[in-house]
């Protein structure tokens, strides 16, 4: 099939949504579909000094990326972008229009007669402008499959808040790809006599960086690696602690993060609750968890209900998000028990390979679309 994927992600950039979009287009194309990705042309916001966008994201150049001019006109730029996307879609004449973020564009393509499917990563907000068009989109949607979300918890939320049948909502958890079997990046020196503990991701509120700092204080013989974050956030956390066993590596290109994960013995995901600053803790589907699983390393993670869609007690140690004693006990248990580390890591890896690759996610979506189309005939 020919798929037009519409997104408002800044490409290239450091954002998780841009990674998600590029990986999904790559996965759809790997299944044999012709994919054209539409993304805004916004030079001022794009990551600098990127000579090859596909190489930057670590994906095969098996789909087309079309940059769509998005003028910096207050109140109008999103609408102009959406209409420009519609005009390009009419020229492409795809079998499917798919994507996320730009609800108005999908409302327009559906209204123009294209089979349009939208993906949501956040709950319904009655006051949101996008959800005004989401309501209109749903009202006019005659397909059996009406919406894709990235977690079962979010699927339940849309069933309750918008009265959309559960059978019409596909839950497709986020994913990642298999990675090279490399143990360490050539430019990182580590002390192999000590346990290496890692965290990859943002450093803003709700990500549990304070938990990692407390762990480093309580477990001085381990080395803690924090990979990612904006410089201002790194400076903030550095100012709050002067520990010699914490290393801030800063931003690493998406294609390179696996090297930093692979050099660690234990990987941490100390997500915090809504009350602690993480607004998405009830419905999230973090790519980070699947990346951790793909590295075949032991994982300690917050035990939110939604986390069990990726992990379980057979492939990770899941603990109360804010209980520092529980975190300390879990990390120390893994430090002292190499056999348990390896068993949890293997179980997580096998679960990842079976269910959580980008290609598996893309196939799940395409199969659901095919089923929906056949039911509508």
């Amino acid at each position: 099939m020919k798929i037009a994927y519409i997104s408002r992600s800044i490409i290239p950039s450091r954002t998780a949504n841009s990674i998600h979009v590029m990986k999904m287009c790559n996965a759809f194309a790997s299944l044999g579909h012709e994919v054209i990705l539409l993304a805004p042309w916004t030079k001022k916001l794009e990551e600098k000094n990127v000579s090859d966008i596909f190489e930057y994201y670590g994906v095969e150049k098996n789909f087309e990326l079309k940059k769509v001019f998005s003028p910096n006109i207050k109140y109008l730029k999103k609408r102009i972008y959406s209409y420009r996307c519609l005009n390009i879609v009419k020229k492409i004449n795809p079998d499917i229009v798919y994507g996320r973020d730009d609800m108005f564009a999908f409302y327009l393509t559906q209204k123009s007669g294209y089979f349009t499917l939208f993906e949501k990563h956040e709950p319904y907000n009655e006051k949101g402008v996008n959800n005004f068009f989401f309501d209109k989109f749903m009202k006019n949607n005659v397909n059996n499959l009406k919406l894709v979300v990235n977690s079962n918890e979010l699927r339940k939320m849309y069933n309750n808040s918008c009265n959309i049948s559960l059978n019409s909502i596909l839950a497709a958890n986020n994913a990642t790809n298999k990675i090279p079997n490399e143990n360490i990046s050539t430019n990182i020196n580590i002390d192999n006599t000590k346990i290496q503990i890692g965290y990859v991701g943002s450093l803003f509120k709700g990500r549990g960086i304070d938990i990692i700092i407390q762990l480093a204080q309580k477990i001085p013989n381990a080395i803690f690696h924090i990979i990612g974050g904006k410089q201002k956030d790194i400076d903030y956390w550095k100012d709050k602690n002067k520990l010699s066993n914490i290393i801030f590596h800063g931003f690493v290109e998406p294609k390179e993060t696996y090297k930093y994960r692979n050099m660690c013995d234990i990987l941490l995901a100390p997500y915090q609750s809504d009350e602690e600053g993480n607004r998405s803790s009830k419905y999230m589907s973090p790519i980070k968890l699947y990346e951790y699983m793909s590295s075949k390393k032991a994982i300690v993670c917050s035990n939110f209900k939604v986390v069990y869609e990726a992990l379980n007690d057979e492939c990770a140690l899941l603990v109360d998000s804010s209980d520092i004693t529980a975190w300390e006990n879990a990390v120390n248990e893994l430090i002292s028990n190499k056999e348990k580390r390896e068993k949890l890591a293997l179980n997580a890896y096998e679960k990842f390979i079976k269910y959580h690759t980008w290609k598996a996610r893309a196939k799940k979506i395409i199969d659901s679309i095919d089923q929906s189309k056949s039911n509508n005939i």
Side-chain angles (χ1 to χ4, degrees):
M1 291 186 291
K2 186 185 290 186
I3 302 172
Y5 193 117
I6 301 176
S7 170
R8 284 207 60 84
S9 297
I10 305 303
I11 298 173
S13 71
R14 303 182 181 188
T15 61
N17 60 54
S18 74
I19 296 172
H20 184 279
V21 166
M22 289 292 287
K23 297 289 187 180
M24 280 304 298
C25 287
N26 175 234
F28 282 135
S30 73
L31 294 171
H33 305 291
E34 181 183 352
V35 180
I36 303 95
L37 168 60
L38 309 184
W41 184 82
T42 50
K43 277 291 182 184
K44 288 184 179 180
L45 300 176
E46 292 174 9
E47 185 73 12
K48 303 298 185 291
N49 302 316
V50 176
S51 58
D52 187 322
I53 291 174
F54 294 86
E55 196 256 349
Y56 172 80
Y57 284 100
V59 298
E60 182 185 354
K61 196 172 184 178
N62 59 356
F63 62 94
E64 183 180 355
L65 171 60
K66 279 185 177 291
K67 289 296 191 77
V68 183
F69 182 63
S70 182
N72 190 20
I73 304 174
K74 196 173 184 180
Y75 304 122
L76 290 177
K77 74 174 190 175
K78 289 184 178 180
R79 293 291 173 262
I80 294 172
Y81 175 77
S82 298
Y83 276 111
R84 285 179 180 269
C85 286
L86 173 63
N87 290 333
I88 294 172
V89 165
K90 287 180 177 179
K91 293 176 183 177
I92 294 170
N93 192 28
D95 302 292
I96 299 169
V97 178
Y98 188 88
R100 51 180 291 193
D101 303 324
D102 195 341
M103 192 66 246
F104 185 55
F106 295 99
Y107 166 73
L108 293 174
T109 58
Q110 182 195 63
K111 195 175 179 181
S112 298
Y114 295 98
F115 183 99
T116 303
L117 188 59
F118 188 68
E119 183 168 325
K120 278 274 198 179
H121 290 200
E122 64 286 320
Y124 182 80
N125 175 9
E126 290 183 7
K127 297 179 181 178
V129 175
N130 271 339
N131 282 322
F132 170 79
F133 290 105
F134 175 77
D135 291 340
K136 294 172 78 71
F137 178 89
M138 284 298 162
K139 184 178 179 181
N140 297 327
N141 195 334
V142 298
N143 302 313
N144 294 93
L145 178 61
K146 299 184 184 299
L147 181 65
V148 176
V149 294
N150 63 345
S151 72
N152 279 305
E153 291 302 309
L154 196 54
R155 178 171 174 257
K156 294 174 187 174
M157 287 183 180
Y158 273 95
N159 170 244
N160 292 327
S161 60
C162 301
N163 198 30
I164 306 172
S165 165
L166 285 172
N167 292 332
S168 296
I169 309 172
L170 175 67
N173 297 117
N174 285 332
T176 194
N177 289 330
K178 281 187 70 174
I179 57 174
N181 186 25
E182 295 181 20
N183 289 325
I184 187 166
S185 173
T186 54
N187 63 346
I188 307 171
N189 294 316
I190 63 171
D191 183 351
N192 289 317
T193 65
K194 294 185 177 181
I195 288 287
Q196 310 296 318
I197 301 174
Y199 166 86
V200 183
S202 302
L203 308 188
F204 50 76
K205 189 176 181 182
R207 290 300 186 259
I209 307 305
D210 52 333
I211 293 285
I212 298 173
I213 290 172
Q214 290 180 71
L215 287 173
Q217 291 171 333
K218 292 173 178 293
I219 311 173
N221 290 328
I223 306 299
F224 290 77
H225 301 270
I226 297 180
I227 300 100
K230 297 178 180 178
Q231 191 57 49
K232 65 176 183 179
D233 295 322
I234 294 171
D235 293 340
Y236 170 81
W237 290 110
K238 279 186 174 181
D239 287 342
K240 287 181 73 72
N241 83 90
K242 305 296 180 184
L243 299 172
S244 60
N245 63 330
I246 296 183
I247 302 172
F248 288 87
H249 295 276
F251 171 73
V252 174
E253 289 187 7
K255 65 171 184 171
E256 297 288 325
T257 56
Y258 77 91
K259 296 179 180 180
Y260 292 78
R261 300 194 306 269
N262 284 5
M263 77 179 182
C264 295
D265 303 291
I266 300 168
L267 294 170
L268 305 178
Y271 292 107
Q272 301 298 286
S273 66
D274 281 10
E275 295 76 18
E276 296 157 325
N278 185 5
R279 291 179 297 173
S280 63
S281 62
K282 293 179 181 176
Y283 59 84
M284 63 183 182
S285 179
I287 294 175
K288 182 208 324 281
L289 294 185
Y290 305 106
E291 290 178 337
Y292 282 9
M293 295 166 77
S294 74
S295 284
K296 206 184 291 187
K297 302 295 178 179
I299 302 167
V300 187
C301 181
S302 301
N303 63 352
F304 298 136
K305 184 178 180 180
V306 71
V307 164
Y308 282 87
E309 295 184 27
L311 302 170
N312 57 41
D313 295 319
E314 298 298 316
C315 56
L317 293 185
L318 302 171
V319 299
D320 184 273
S321 62
S322 58
D323 186 344
I324 187 60
T325 301
W327 280 94
E328 182 184 3
N329 290 341
V331 171
N332 278 328
E333 180 181 357
L334 292 177
I335 289 174
S336 63
N337 191 336
K338 183 180 180 181
E339 184 179 345
K340 182 156 191 170
R341 290 203 307 270
E342 292 176 346
K343 182 179 180 181
L344 290 173
L346 181 60
N347 289 345
Y349 181 76
E350 290 177 346
K351 188 173 185 289
F352 152 71
I353 288 295
K354 190 171 183 180
Y355 299 110
H356 299 303
T357 63
W358 286 119
K359 194 170 184 176
R361 184 180 196 268
K363 186 177 186 306
K364 184 176 184 178
I365 293 170
I366 292 294
D367 288 347
S368 295
I369 290 172
D370 287 341
Q371 184 65 44
S372 179
K373 282 189 166 186
S374 65
N375 289 339
N376 287 339
I377 295 174

Short mmCIF file of all heavy atoms in Angstrom, two decimals, residues 139-177:
data_model
loop_
_atom_site.label_atom_id
_atom_site.label_comp_id
_atom_site.label_asym_id
_atom_site.label_seq_id
_atom_site.Cartn_x
_atom_site.Cartn_y
_atom_site.Cartn_z
N LYS A 139 -16.87 11.54 14.72
CA LYS A 139 -18.29 11.55 14.33
C LYS A 139 -18.45 11.10 12.88
O LYS A 139 -19.43 10.40 12.53
CB LYS A 139 -18.87 12.95 14.52
CG LYS A 139 -20.36 13.04 14.23
CD LYS A 139 -20.88 14.45 14.48
CE LYS A 139 -22.37 14.53 14.15
NZ LYS A 139 -22.90 15.91 14.38
N ASN A 140 -17.50 11.49 12.03
CA ASN A 140 -17.58 11.17 10.60
C ASN A 140 -16.86 9.87 10.25
O ASN A 140 -16.84 9.47 9.07
CB ASN A 140 -16.98 12.31 9.78
CG ASN A 140 -17.75 13.60 9.95
OD1 ASN A 140 -18.96 13.58 10.13
ND2 ASN A 140 -17.05 14.73 9.89
N ASN A 141 -16.26 9.22 11.23
CA ASN A 141 -15.45 8.03 10.98
C ASN A 141 -16.33 6.80 10.83
O ASN A 141 -16.97 6.36 11.78
CB ASN A 141 -14.45 7.84 12.13
CG ASN A 141 -13.35 6.86 11.78
OD1 ASN A 141 -13.51 5.99 10.93
ND2 ASN A 141 -12.21 7.01 12.44
N VAL A 142 -16.38 6.24 9.63
CA VAL A 142 -17.24 5.07 9.36
C VAL A 142 -16.46 3.77 9.45
O VAL A 142 -17.02 2.69 9.26
CB VAL A 142 -17.89 5.19 7.96
CG1 VAL A 142 -18.79 6.41 7.90
CG2 VAL A 142 -16.82 5.24 6.87
N ASN A 143 -15.16 3.84 9.73
CA ASN A 143 -14.33 2.63 9.77
C ASN A 143 -14.53 1.86 11.07
O ASN A 143 -14.86 2.44 12.11
CB ASN A 143 -12.85 3.01 9.63
CG ASN A 143 -12.58 3.77 8.35
OD1 ASN A 143 -13.02 3.37 7.28
ND2 ASN A 143 -11.87 4.89 8.46
N ASN A 144 -14.33 0.57 11.01
CA ASN A 144 -14.39 -0.25 12.23
C ASN A 144 -13.27 0.11 13.17
O ASN A 144 -13.45 0.14 14.39
CB ASN A 144 -14.33 -1.74 11.87
CG ASN A 144 -15.54 -2.19 11.09
OD1 ASN A 144 -15.51 -2.19 9.86
ND2 ASN A 144 -16.60 -2.56 11.77
N LEU A 145 -12.09 0.36 12.61
CA LEU A 145 -10.94 0.79 13.41
C LEU A 145 -10.91 2.32 13.39
O LEU A 145 -10.73 2.93 12.34
CB LEU A 145 -9.64 0.23 12.84
CG LEU A 145 -8.34 0.64 13.54
CD1 LEU A 145 -8.34 0.19 14.99
CD2 LEU A 145 -7.14 0.06 12.81
N LYS A 146 -11.09 2.94 14.54
CA LYS A 146 -11.23 4.39 14.59
C LYS A 146 -10.03 5.11 15.19
O LYS A 146 -9.83 6.30 14.94
CB LYS A 146 -12.49 4.76 15.39
CG LYS A 146 -13.77 4.22 14.77
CD LYS A 146 -14.99 4.68 15.54
CE LYS A 146 -16.26 4.06 14.98
NZ LYS A 146 -16.51 4.42 13.57
N LEU A 147 -9.21 4.40 15.97
CA LEU A 147 -8.15 5.09 16.70
C LEU A 147 -7.06 4.11 17.11
O LEU A 147 -7.35 2.96 17.45
CB LEU A 147 -8.75 5.74 17.97
CG LEU A 147 -7.83 6.54 18.89
CD1 LEU A 147 -7.29 7.77 18.18
CD2 LEU A 147 -8.58 6.95 20.16
N VAL A 148 -5.81 4.58 17.07
CA VAL A 148 -4.68 3.81 17.59
C VAL A 148 -4.10 4.58 18.77
O VAL A 148 -3.89 5.79 18.69
CB VAL A 148 -3.58 3.61 16.52
CG1 VAL A 148 -2.37 2.89 17.12
CG2 VAL A 148 -4.13 2.81 15.34
N VAL A 149 -3.86 3.87 19.87
CA VAL A 149 -3.20 4.47 21.04
C VAL A 149 -2.01 3.60 21.40
O VAL A 149 -1.85 2.50 20.89
CB VAL A 149 -4.17 4.58 22.24
CG1 VAL A 149 -5.29 5.57 21.94
CG2 VAL A 149 -4.75 3.22 22.62
N ASN A 150 -1.15 4.11 22.29
CA ASN A 150 0.09 3.36 22.56
C ASN A 150 0.12 2.64 23.91
O ASN A 150 1.18 2.21 24.35
CB ASN A 150 1.31 4.28 22.42
CG ASN A 150 1.31 5.41 23.42
OD1 ASN A 150 0.29 5.70 24.06
ND2 ASN A 150 2.45 6.07 23.59
N SER A 151 -1.05 2.50 24.56
CA SER A 151 -1.11 1.66 25.76
C SER A 151 -2.55 1.22 26.01
O SER A 151 -3.50 1.90 25.59
CB SER A 151 -0.59 2.42 26.99
OG SER A 151 -1.51 3.42 27.41
N ASN A 152 -2.72 0.11 26.68
CA ASN A 152 -4.06 -0.38 27.01
C ASN A 152 -4.77 0.56 27.98
O ASN A 152 -5.99 0.70 27.93
CB ASN A 152 -3.96 -1.79 27.62
CG ASN A 152 -3.83 -2.86 26.55
OD1 ASN A 152 -4.65 -2.95 25.64
ND2 ASN A 152 -2.78 -3.66 26.64
N GLU A 153 -3.99 1.19 28.87
CA GLU A 153 -4.59 2.13 29.81
C GLU A 153 -5.17 3.33 29.08
O GLU A 153 -6.25 3.83 29.43
CB GLU A 153 -3.55 2.57 30.85
CG GLU A 153 -3.13 1.46 31.81
CD GLU A 153 -4.30 0.86 32.58
OE1 GLU A 153 -5.07 1.63 33.16
OE2 GLU A 153 -4.44 -0.37 32.59
N LEU A 154 -4.47 3.80 28.05
CA LEU A 154 -4.98 4.93 27.26
C LEU A 154 -6.21 4.50 26.45
O LEU A 154 -7.16 5.27 26.27
CB LEU A 154 -3.88 5.45 26.33
CG LEU A 154 -4.09 6.84 25.71
CD1 LEU A 154 -4.35 7.89 26.78
CD2 LEU A 154 -2.87 7.22 24.88
N ARG A 155 -6.21 3.28 25.99
CA ARG A 155 -7.37 2.71 25.29
C ARG A 155 -8.61 2.76 26.17
O ARG A 155 -9.70 3.16 25.73
CB ARG A 155 -7.05 1.28 24.88
CG ARG A 155 -8.17 0.53 24.18
CD ARG A 155 -7.62 -0.79 23.65
NE ARG A 155 -8.66 -1.65 23.09
CZ ARG A 155 -9.16 -2.71 23.71
NH1 ARG A 155 -8.73 -3.05 24.92
NH2 ARG A 155 -10.09 -3.44 23.13
N LYS A 156 -8.46 2.38 27.44
CA LYS A 156 -9.58 2.42 28.39
C LYS A 156 -10.04 3.86 28.62
O LYS A 156 -11.24 4.13 28.75
CB LYS A 156 -9.17 1.77 29.71
CG LYS A 156 -8.90 0.28 29.61
CD LYS A 156 -8.35 -0.25 30.93
CE LYS A 156 -7.90 -1.69 30.81
NZ LYS A 156 -7.23 -2.17 32.06
N MET A 157 -9.08 4.79 28.68
CA MET A 157 -9.42 6.20 28.90
C MET A 157 -10.31 6.73 27.78
O MET A 157 -11.29 7.43 28.01
CB MET A 157 -8.15 7.04 29.00
CG MET A 157 -7.39 6.86 30.30
SD MET A 157 -5.94 7.98 30.34
CE MET A 157 -5.23 7.56 31.93
N TYR A 158 -9.97 6.39 26.51
CA TYR A 158 -10.76 6.88 25.39
C TYR A 158 -12.11 6.18 25.31
O TYR A 158 -13.11 6.78 24.89
CB TYR A 158 -9.99 6.74 24.07
CG TYR A 158 -9.12 7.93 23.83
CD1 TYR A 158 -7.78 7.94 24.21
CD2 TYR A 158 -9.64 9.10 23.26
CE1 TYR A 158 -6.99 9.06 24.02
CE2 TYR A 158 -8.85 10.22 23.07
CZ TYR A 158 -7.53 10.20 23.46
OH TYR A 158 -6.77 11.32 23.29
N ASN A 159 -12.15 4.94 25.73
CA ASN A 159 -13.43 4.24 25.81
C ASN A 159 -14.36 4.94 26.80
O ASN A 159 -15.55 5.14 26.53
CB ASN A 159 -13.18 2.79 26.23
CG ASN A 159 -14.45 2.05 26.57
OD1 ASN A 159 -14.65 1.63 27.72
ND2 ASN A 159 -15.33 1.86 25.60
N ASN A 160 -13.81 5.38 27.93
CA ASN A 160 -14.62 6.02 28.97
C ASN A 160 -14.96 7.48 28.64
O ASN A 160 -16.10 7.92 28.81
CB ASN A 160 -13.90 5.96 30.32
CG ASN A 160 -13.79 4.55 30.86
OD1 ASN A 160 -14.68 3.72 30.62
ND2 ASN A 160 -12.72 4.24 31.57
N SER A 161 -13.97 8.24 28.18
CA SER A 161 -14.17 9.68 28.00
C SER A 161 -14.87 10.04 26.69
O SER A 161 -15.54 11.07 26.61
CB SER A 161 -12.82 10.42 28.08
OG SER A 161 -11.95 9.96 27.07
N CYS A 162 -14.73 9.21 25.67
CA CYS A 162 -15.31 9.54 24.36
C CYS A 162 -16.36 8.53 23.89
O CYS A 162 -16.87 8.65 22.77
CB CYS A 162 -14.20 9.62 23.31
SG CYS A 162 -12.95 10.85 23.67
N ASN A 163 -16.62 7.53 24.73
CA ASN A 163 -17.63 6.51 24.40
C ASN A 163 -17.30 5.81 23.08
O ASN A 163 -18.20 5.51 22.28
CB ASN A 163 -19.03 7.12 24.35
CG ASN A 163 -20.11 6.06 24.44
OD1 ASN A 163 -19.92 5.01 25.05
ND2 ASN A 163 -21.25 6.33 23.82
N ILE A 164 -16.01 5.57 22.84
CA ILE A 164 -15.57 4.82 21.67
C ILE A 164 -15.46 3.35 22.08
O ILE A 164 -14.85 3.03 23.09
CB ILE A 164 -14.21 5.32 21.14
CG1 ILE A 164 -14.26 6.82 20.87
CG2 ILE A 164 -13.82 4.56 19.88
CD1 ILE A 164 -12.90 7.42 20.54
N SER A 165 -16.04 2.48 21.30
CA SER A 165 -16.01 1.06 21.61
C SER A 165 -14.57 0.57 21.73
O SER A 165 -13.70 0.95 20.93
CB SER A 165 -16.72 0.27 20.51
OG SER A 165 -16.41 -1.10 20.59
N LEU A 166 -14.32 -0.29 22.70
CA LEU A 166 -12.97 -0.86 22.85
C LEU A 166 -12.54 -1.60 21.59
O LEU A 166 -11.36 -1.62 21.24
CB LEU A 166 -12.94 -1.81 24.05
CG LEU A 166 -12.91 -1.17 25.44
CD1 LEU A 166 -13.07 -2.24 26.52
CD2 LEU A 166 -11.63 -0.39 25.67
N ASN A 167 -13.51 -2.20 20.89
CA ASN A 167 -13.19 -2.94 19.66
C ASN A 167 -12.74 -2.02 18.53
O ASN A 167 -12.16 -2.48 17.55
CB ASN A 167 -14.41 -3.74 19.21
CG ASN A 167 -14.74 -4.87 20.15
OD1 ASN A 167 -13.85 -5.39 20.84
ND2 ASN A 167 -16.01 -5.25 20.23
N SER A 168 -13.01 -0.71 18.68
CA SER A 168 -12.63 0.24 17.64
C SER A 168 -11.31 0.95 17.93
O SER A 168 -10.87 1.79 17.16
CB SER A 168 -13.73 1.30 17.47
OG SER A 168 -14.92 0.69 17.02
N ILE A 169 -10.69 0.61 19.08
CA ILE A 169 -9.44 1.25 19.49
C ILE A 169 -8.34 0.18 19.54
O ILE A 169 -8.47 -0.81 20.27
CB ILE A 169 -9.56 1.92 20.86
CG1 ILE A 169 -10.78 2.85 20.92
CG2 ILE A 169 -8.28 2.70 21.19
CD1 ILE A 169 -11.07 3.38 22.31
N LEU A 170 -7.30 0.39 18.79
CA LEU A 170 -6.16 -0.53 18.81
C LEU A 170 -5.10 -0.01 19.76
O LEU A 170 -4.64 1.13 19.62
CB LEU A 170 -5.57 -0.69 17.41
CG LEU A 170 -4.30 -1.54 17.32
CD1 LEU A 170 -4.60 -3.00 17.64
CD2 LEU A 170 -3.66 -1.42 15.94
N ALA A 171 -4.71 -0.83 20.73
CA ALA A 171 -3.59 -0.49 21.60
C ALA A 171 -2.33 -1.13 21.03
O ALA A 171 -2.24 -2.36 20.94
CB ALA A 171 -3.85 -0.98 23.02
N ALA A 172 -1.39 -0.30 20.62
CA ALA A 172 -0.11 -0.78 20.08
C ALA A 172 1.01 -0.10 20.87
O ALA A 172 1.32 1.06 20.64
CB ALA A 172 -0.01 -0.45 18.59
N ASN A 173 1.58 -0.85 21.80
CA ASN A 173 2.64 -0.30 22.63
C ASN A 173 3.81 0.17 21.78
O ASN A 173 4.04 -0.35 20.68
CB ASN A 173 3.15 -1.34 23.63
CG ASN A 173 2.09 -1.77 24.62
OD1 ASN A 173 1.70 -2.92 24.65
ND2 ASN A 173 1.61 -0.84 25.42
N ASN A 174 4.56 1.14 22.29
CA ASN A 174 5.77 1.58 21.60
C ASN A 174 6.77 0.44 21.50
O ASN A 174 6.55 -0.65 22.04
CB ASN A 174 6.36 2.79 22.29
CG ASN A 174 5.55 4.04 22.01
OD1 ASN A 174 4.91 4.15 20.97
ND2 ASN A 174 5.56 5.00 22.93
N ALA A 175 7.89 0.68 20.86
CA ALA A 175 8.79 -0.42 20.54
C ALA A 175 10.21 0.11 20.32
O ALA A 175 10.51 1.28 20.56
CB ALA A 175 8.29 -1.12 19.28
N THR A 176 11.08 -0.77 19.85
CA THR A 176 12.41 -0.38 19.40
C THR A 176 12.92 -1.46 18.47
O THR A 176 12.20 -2.45 18.19
CB THR A 176 13.37 -0.15 20.58
OG1 THR A 176 14.53 0.54 20.12
CG2 THR A 176 13.81 -1.45 21.23
N ASN A 177 14.13 -1.32 17.96
CA ASN A 177 14.70 -2.30 17.05
C ASN A 177 15.79 -3.11 17.73
O ASN A 177 16.34 -2.70 18.75
CB ASN A 177 15.29 -1.61 15.81
CG ASN A 177 14.22 -1.04 14.90
OD1 ASN A 177 13.11 -1.57 14.82
ND2 ASN A 177 14.54 0.04 14.20
#
